[in-house]
Structure formats: C-alpha cells, structure tokens
C-alpha cells in the first residue's frame, strides 16, 4: 500500500489529506488537518469520499454548496497522484435524468425551519418531500448553536422546575419588543411566543432530543428560558431530526436547487422544479413551504455589510427572490441584518463565532480592551453594548484579555464550537503577525504582539484589580459576581470583531404562515417558515431567537399546510 500526502485549499485555509492506493485501487482517503466548519465538512467529505471510492476516480463531481473546497480536494489529489505516475480515469458521463414526483407537502430548505415544518406535516399524516440545493443538510442553522427558548414547553417545565412559571408567551413577546426597540412585527412576534413551547415539545418527541438548560443565560432575556442540546451544536439537531424524518417515511432530495414554478391551468401554484448536476426534477404538491433561508451571502458579496465580517454560509443567496419573482410576494425591510460581536477573522472578511467561549470568559472575569489598552464596555452587559462599542474602535476591533485559568476553559469551548486544535495552535504560532490575533505571554508581551499600547493596558489592568479588591467596578458598573483578579503571569489576548449572517427582513406572512402578495392577499398553496420571513424579531434579535423563530414558524407552517 502506498500513501500519498495531499494539500488542498478550503474556505478557511489549508486541508491536508492522505490517499491510500493499493493494487491500482483507491483504498481510502483520510483527512489529517482542516479548518472548515466541522458540521458541514463532515457531511461534505463523507459524500465526496463515497463518490471517490465508488467511482475509483478523483474526476468526480464537486459537492453542491461546497464546490470550491471539494474541487480543490479532487484536483489536488488527482495532481499529486499523476506526479507519482498514477492516473485514475474519469468515470463514464452520467446521462441527464428527468424525474417527476407528487406529494402532499413540499418543503424547500433543510435548516431548522424546513426540518421542523416537514416533520410536523409528516406527523399529521401527509406525504412530505424536502428538497435542499446543497449536497449537505442544515442551511444556516448548521452554523448556529442549538440554543432556543423553551417558553411554555413541558421540556422547560422539567428543566427549570417552578422557575419556568415565571416565563410566559406575553413576557417573551415583551422581551422581543424591548430588544428590537419596537421594530418587530407584533403579530409575528406573538406567533413565535405562542408556539415555541409546542414546537419544542413536538420536535423533542419526534426526534428524541434531550434538551437541557443552556450553559449561557443571556441578560437580554428577563428570565432564564434558554435551553440547548447536550453537544450545544445544531449539527446534533439537524442529523437527528433528518434521520427521524426519513425513518418515519419522509423523503429528502439533496442537490435539488429550485429554479422555477409549476402552475395549474388556472394559474395557481402546482409545484416547483429543481435543477441538479445530472437531473431535472419536477415536484407537484398540494402545499409548498418555503424555508430556504435568507440572503446574507448576497449582502456580503455585494459589499453591503459595511466592512463587517460575514460568518454565514456562502449559499445564503436568496434564490427565491428570483424563482418566485412572478408571484409578486410582499417584502419588507430587506436592509435589515443581524450583527453580533464575538467574531474571529479566520480569512479576510470571513469570521467564525466565539460567542460561547467569550461569554464564559467574561463570566470568569475577562475584560475587553481597545488598541489603546483601555476597557470599552461592561463586559457582562447585553451583547448589543459590546457590538456597538467594537464598531467605534480603530479597525473595528476589540481584544479579550484573559489569564491561563480562563484560557483553559475558553479553549474547550472553542474546540467544541467549530475550531480545531490544529487551527488554534496555528493562530497562536503566528504570534500576532497575521490575523486572527491570538497571542500568549506576559502582559507586556501580549500587548506588543497585538499592537496595543503597553502602558495603557498595564494601567487598565491595575485599575481593574483595584475594582476587584473593592468589589466595585468604578468605570462601567460591572456586577461584583463577574469581577475576578487575573491569576499568574501568563495572559492571552484574542481579537474580537463584529460579524453578521442572518437577515432580518424578508417576505411577509399572515398568522397561518401563508405568504402574502403585494396586495396583502395570501398566495394559494404557499407557506413559509424561518429566516425567509422577516419581522418577528425586528431589526435586532436576542440570542437564541433566530432558532426559536425557525422552530415556531416551522411548526405553524407544517400544521397549517397540513390542515388546509
């Protein structure tokens, strides 16, 4: 057996892999190192590997939704083997297939909203087909944590006990309005608040999901109501729900990009047609639910993100605004998108989130400073305060300062949420010479490596230690339970940039999640769920609320489409 080392290029950096060849056959392809989003990469690489081994060739199709990365793997492996005198030929061309399906309910999009809507319709006895344009499942949800609110659910009653009684749909709706400064659409916010409990109870039972109290209970919520899965990852949600949906009779078609509408003779909507690499698929359906996500990548690609890093999928391109254009659907607030803090710029303009790790670090006493070495915010306040302050700093960047005690816990959550150990080691090894800035050393050393004023940082830390000693933050009024001295002589300084992905405007829907046309009339047979419908969270959603909107709206859309 001969092993060949291959280096390819991914979305977030170099991918190292090994190809095993024996007796002129490809025996195995393994990944040695990568910095891609694990939840996406695992699905994509598993499919790519299966295709390579089945066809005994690296001249197979790239995977939809990850075409640049998978093409680089294929081309790099093929080139390396050719340089070693081995050339596996291309498989025979596949003929273009034309397929036709009929179903009760057709769902577009495999993120949280689409999977909940499809599962709900299936549970009500409907035949359901779910289509996904990518070669993997999850949409934008796959990049999120698994945290949602459990308001009104039996799940939350079990988790929080009597404390759950302090929460209510009315209280949740009020929190949404407060956080969004009353820019939310009250009818949709109330729909979210009234249905999220039922949605959580339904999907937990449907897919055997074991929610627990979320590690992070953010101050934007007036009571503790945030819950999450044991892994804290939406990958667990996507895989378990998809598996349950298929096991119970649902159909999922990947690499099925919706490109047009099918109409009845009277002009009403009859279905959709999809294009794929080797197929054209017509799907006729009594009811259609659009859960195809937002258009964050379009905002980023068109340079409308105001220089803020993008962390969403590059496939969030708002396709429905093209293929459904003739329906003249009502849209609103298309310039709204959600900006969060806690970003680490892993490629120019592209960030990964550090929210869970950063929140834990500040709970343990870490502070945010700017390039002058000065604190900029009450580190334990709501995320929007930090977000707004980061945008005011030189270079739109802040830095999180922590000690070794805190770094050890911070590191664990980075690895849990989309960072590899090799990736973090590479960042530290660059020693601040390139982005992202992640440096280790004495207080003076980390300041110098990060380009921060040394004297300013030393004074800030000295002042902060005084606040800790006196149990009172004289500068920003940080709560005493979050004040903690820096321990030891080793410090870590990590850049923190703002990031966006989620769009908050979109189509308009009624209380049954039917999409409305420009005359405010519901379009026959057409429903929607998730990010594609804007307004429930206004122009600034609270943490956990995009997942919550996806689940609640998906539950309602699946229910109403099945009952109509």
């Amino acid at each position: 057996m001969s092993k060949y080392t291959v280096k390819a290029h991914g979305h977030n950096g170099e991918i190292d892999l090994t190809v095993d060849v024996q007796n002129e056959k490809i025996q195995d392809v393994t990944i040695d190192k990568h910095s891609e989003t694990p939840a996406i990469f695992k699905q994509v690489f598993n499919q790519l590997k299966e295709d390579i081994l089945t066809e005994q060739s690296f001249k197979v199709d790239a995977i939809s939704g990850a075409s640049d990365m998978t093409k680089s793997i294929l081309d790099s492996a093929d080139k390396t083997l050719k340089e070693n005198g081995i050339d596996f030929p291309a498989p025979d061309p596949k003929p273009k297939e034309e397929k036709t399906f009929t179903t009760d309910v057709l769902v577009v999009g495999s993120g949280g909203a689409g999977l909940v809507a499809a599962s709900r319709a299936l549970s009500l006895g409907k035949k359901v087909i779910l289509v996904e344009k990518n070669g993997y499942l999850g949409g934008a949800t796959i990049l999120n944590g698994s945290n949602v609110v459990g308001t009104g659910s039996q799940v939350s009653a079990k988790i929080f006990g009597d404390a759950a009684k302090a929460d209510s749909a009315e209280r949740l709706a009020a929190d949404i309005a407060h956080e969004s400064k009353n820019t939310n659409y009250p009818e949709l916010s109330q729909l979210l608040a009234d249905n999220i409990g039922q949605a959580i109870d339904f999907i937990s039972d449907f897919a055997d999901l074991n929610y627990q109290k979320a590690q992070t209970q953010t101050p934007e919520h007036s009571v503790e109501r945030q819950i999450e899965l044991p892994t804290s990852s939406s990958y667990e949600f996507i895989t378990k729900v998809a598996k349950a949906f298929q096991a119970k009779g649902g159909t999922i078609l990947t690499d099925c990009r919706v490109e047009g509408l099918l109409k009845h003779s009277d002009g009403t909507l009859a279905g959709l047609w999809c294009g794929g690499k080797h197929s054209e698929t017509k799907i006729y359906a009594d009811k259609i639910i659009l859960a195809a996500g937002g258009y964050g990548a379009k905002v980023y690609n068109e340079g409308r993100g105001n220089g803020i890093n993008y962390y969403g999928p590059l496939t969030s391109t708002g396709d429905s605004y093209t293929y459904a254009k003739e329906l003249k659907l009502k849209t609103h607030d298309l310039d709204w998108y959600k900006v969060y803090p806690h970003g680490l710029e892993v490629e120019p303009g592209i960030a990964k989130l550090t929210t869970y790790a950063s929140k834990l670090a500040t709970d343990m006493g870490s502070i945010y400073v700017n390039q002058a070495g000065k604190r900029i915010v009450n580190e334990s306040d709501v995320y929007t305060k930090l977000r707004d302050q980061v945008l005011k700093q030189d270079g739109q960047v802040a830095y999180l300062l922590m000690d070794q005690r805190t770094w050890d816990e911070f590191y664990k959550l980075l690895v849990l949420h989309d960072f590899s150990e090799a990736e973090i080691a590479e960042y530290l090894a660059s020693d601040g010479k390139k982005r992202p800035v992640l440096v280790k050393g004495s207080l003076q050393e980390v300041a110098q490596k990060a380009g921060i004023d040394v004297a300013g940082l030393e004074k800030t830390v000295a002042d902060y230690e005084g606040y800790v000693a006196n149990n009172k933050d004289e500068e920003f009024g940080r709560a005493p339970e979050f004040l903690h001295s820096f321990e030891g002589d080793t410090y870590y300084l990590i850049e923190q940039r703002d990031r966006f992905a989620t769009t908050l405007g979109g189509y308009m829907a009624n209380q049954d999640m039917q999409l409305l046309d420009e005359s405010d009339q519901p379009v026959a047979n057409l429903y929607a769920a998730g990010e594609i419908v804007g307004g429930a969270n206004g122009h600034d959603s609270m943490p956990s609320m995009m997942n919550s909107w996806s689940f609640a709206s998906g539950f309602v859309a699946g229910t109403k489409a099945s009952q109509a």
Side-chain angles (χ1 to χ4, degrees), residues 8 33 50 66 96 127 130 133 156-157 220 223-224 259 270 297 306 330 336 364 378 409 441 449 550:
K33 185 188 81 170
E50 180 180 330
K96 192 84 170 180
K127 181 180 179 183
L130 182 149
K133 68 177 180 178
S156 277
E220 290 87 346
V223 293
E224 291 191 341
E259 296 188 8
N306 297 317
K330 183 177 183 178
W336 282 1
M364 295 176 69
N378 172 353
E409 300 304 316
K449 291 175 181 179
S550 290

Side-chain angles (χ1 to χ4, degrees), residues 155-186:
V155 169
S156 277
K158 183 177 179 180
I159 292 171
F160 293 103
D162 287 342
K165 297 175 183 177
D167 198 10
S168 65
E170 291 70 29
R171 186 164 190 163
L172 177 57
D175 286 352
I176 293 170
H178 178 267
E179 179 66 16
S180 68
K181 298 180 180 178
N182 295 304
T183 58
N184 61 304
Y185 287 62

Side-chain angles (χ1 to χ4, degrees), residues 3 18 24 26 79 83 105 115 122 152 198 200 207 222 232 242 245 291 314 325-326 348 381 414 439-440 465 526 548:
K3 295 186 177 183
T18 298
E24 299 183 347
I26 304 170
K79 180 181 178 183
E83 290 171 348
V105 178
L115 284 171
L122 188 70
Q198 295 179 74
I200 291 295
S222 61
S232 302
F245 173 72
L314 295 178
K325 188 174 182 179
E326 65 182 271
D381 209 335
L414 284 185
V439 295
K440 172 186 178 182
E465 294 290 2
L526 186 60
S548 301

Side-chain angles (χ1 to χ4, degrees), residues 209-484:
L209 302 177
N210 297 306
Y211 279 98
Q212 61 190 24
K213 181 178 179 180
Q215 299 175 62
T216 300
Q217 300 292 321
T218 58
E220 290 87 346
H221 294 270
S222 61
V223 293
E224 291 191 341
R225 57 165 71 105
Q226 290 160 283
I227 59 177
E228 64 186 3
L229 296 174
T231 61
S232 302
S233 171
S234 278
Y235 180 63
E236 179 182 357
F237 177 88
I238 296 298
T239 53
K240 285 187 174 181
V241 176
K243 182 179 180 180
F245 173 72
Q246 291 175 297
K248 296 177 182 183
T251 299
I252 295 178
L253 304 177
T254 57
D255 188 27
C256 194
R257 183 189 185 96
V258 177
E259 296 188 8
L261 311 177
L262 300 174
K263 298 286 192 70
H264 291 294
S265 57
D266 63 0
T268 58
L269 195 59
L272 302 170
W273 67 271
C274 299
K277 294 187 188 74
H278 304 289
S279 64
E280 182 174 299
T281 304
K282 294 180 179 179
I283 307 173
Y284 292 91
D286 293 337
K287 307 296 177 187
I288 297 170
I289 301 174
L290 298 184
Y295 45 91
K298 183 177 177 64
V299 173
Y300 168 70
N301 290 329
E302 293 176 352
R304 294 188 284 123
N306 297 317
I308 299 170
N309 284 178
Y310 182 66
Y311 76 99
L314 295 178
T315 55
S316 289
T317 49
D319 300 346
S320 65
Y321 293 90
T322 300
Y323 66 72
K325 188 174 182 179
E326 65 182 271
L327 297 178
K328 299 186 184 302
L329 299 174
K330 183 177 183 178
T331 62
H332 65 97
D333 303 302
L334 297 182
D335 58 341
W336 282 1
Y337 53 89
K338 172 65 181 178
V339 179
Y340 284 103
H342 311 131
L344 202 64
E345 188 175 55
V346 295
E347 288 288 320
I350 301 294
K352 283 188 178 183
L353 65 88
T354 68
T355 299
Y356 300 97
S358 297
K359 176 63 166 62
L360 177 63
T362 54
D363 285 351
M364 295 176 69
S366 297
I367 60 174
Y368 287 109
V369 299
N370 59 18
Q371 292 180 336
K374 296 181 179 179
R375 282 177 74 202
I376 61 172
V377 73
N378 172 353
E379 294 83 0
S380 301
D381 209 335
V382 296
Y383 292 163
T384 53
K385 299 287 183 66
L386 172 61
R387 177 200 66 190
D388 294 346
Q389 284 301 314
V390 170
L391 292 177
K392 294 177 182 179
Q393 306 308 314
D394 291 343
Q396 294 188 342
V397 60
Y399 302 88
L400 183 60
L401 181 70
M402 66 185 76
D403 55 19
Q404 185 70 51
R405 169 189 67 96
T406 304
W407 166 259
D408 291 341
E409 300 304 316
F410 183 90
Y411 179 86
K412 293 175 186 176
L413 289 185
L414 284 185
V415 173
L416 182 63
H417 294 284
D418 291 347
F419 289 87
S420 69
E421 294 182 356
E423 189 178 6
I424 299 167
E426 183 180 335
Y427 298 155
L428 283 167
S430 71
D431 228 17
K433 295 181 178 65
K434 63 178 183 179
R435 290 178 178 170
V437 174
L438 201 165
V439 295
K440 172 186 178 182
S442 67
L443 189 61
Q444 181 180 20
E445 287 171 340
V446 295
Q448 290 172 336
K449 291 175 181 179
I452 290 175
D453 183 79
V454 175
L457 184 60
E458 289 176 337
K459 182 180 185 303
T460 293
V461 171
D463 289 344
Y464 181 72
E465 294 290 2
Y467 304 151
V468 174
N470 294 325
N471 207 33
K472 184 177 182 180
D473 180 1
E474 299 283 358
E475 192 171 7
F476 289 104
R478 190 179 191 180
E481 62 262 34
F482 300 122
L483 299 175
H484 195 289

Side-chain angles (χ1 to χ4, degrees), residues 35-48:
S35 300
E36 305 305 295
T37 301
I40 295 177
F41 188 79
K42 183 176 182 179
Q43 295 185 71
V44 167
F45 181 71
N46 285 347
Q47 182 60 58
L48 187 69

